[in-house]
């Protein structure tokens, strides 16, 4: 009887080791879309800075739009961080049962940096907005009702 229990225990340990010896992978990804957004606060003066001065200082904006009678320039960068973990069964088991058994989970975090400049009809800076690490892009924040 003892030998049967020993053999059964050994067999159970071998099968459990075989089943649990799968592959574990972890992936960390970082994507950046757009150029770094700088905020030269001392050089952008509301009521003084012209559209030409802002363009020569910051370069071409990512978006240009009309906001009522004002021109809107938006400089924006998106940072995406993704973490993923995947646990799979060993290849020999997958070839025996002809299916791939695995479990995976991932999380994604997107952050936006933006600078928005509003210019009146005389092409003078009327107001400005700068945000780092926002969870929404500027246009979504601008037109949402939850501001």
């Amino acid at each position: 009887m003892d030998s049967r229990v020993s053999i059964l225990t050994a067999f159970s340990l071998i099968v459990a080791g075989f089943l649990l010896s799968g592959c574990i992978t972890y992936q960390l990804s970082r994507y950046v879309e757009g150029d770094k957004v700088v905020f030269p606060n001392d050089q952008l003066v509301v009521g003084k800075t012209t559209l030409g001065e802002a363009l020569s200082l910051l370069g071409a904006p990512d978006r240009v739009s009309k906001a009522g009678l004002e021109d809107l320039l938006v400089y924006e960068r998106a940072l995406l961080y993704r973490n993923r973990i995947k646990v799979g069964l060993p290849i020999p088991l997958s070839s025996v049962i002809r299916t791939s058994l695995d479990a995976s989970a991932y999380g994604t975090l997107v952050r936006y940096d933006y600078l928005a400049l509003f210019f009146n009809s005389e092409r003078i800076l009327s107001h400005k907005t700068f945000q780092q690490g926002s969870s929404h892009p500027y246009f979504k924040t601008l037109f949402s009702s939850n501001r």
Side-chain angles (χ1 to χ4, degrees), residues 32-45 53-62 73-79 112-117 125 128-133:
V32 178
E33 182 178 310
D35 295 325
K36 184 175 181 178
V37 177
V38 295
F39 185 49
N41 194 26
D42 54 337
Q43 296 172 331
L44 294 174
V45 180
E53 292 170 345
L55 288 173
S56 67
L57 180 66
L58 298 170
D62 295 307
L73 291 110
V74 178
Y75 297 86
E76 189 171 65
R77 176 173 74 160
L79 303 158
Y112 298 90
D113 299 338
Y114 58 79
L115 170 64
L117 304 174
L125 183 65
K128 57 190 175 183
T129 303
F130 177 69
Q131 179 70 44
Q132 267 188 315

Side-chain angles (χ1 to χ4, degrees), residues 7-58:
I7 291 173
L8 187 58
T9 303
F11 181 72
S12 297
L13 288 174
I14 291 171
V15 169
F18 180 74
L19 291 175
L20 297 175
S21 67
C23 175
I24 297 175
T25 59
Y26 180 74
Q27 179 185 20
L28 174 64
S29 303
R30 181 176 182 254
Y31 303 100
V32 178
E33 182 178 310
D35 295 325
K36 184 175 181 178
V37 177
V38 295
F39 185 49
N41 194 26
D42 54 337
Q43 296 172 331
L44 294 174
V45 180
V46 173
K48 279 184 142 183
T49 305
T50 66
L51 177 62
E53 292 170 345
L55 288 173
S56 67
L57 180 66
L58 298 170

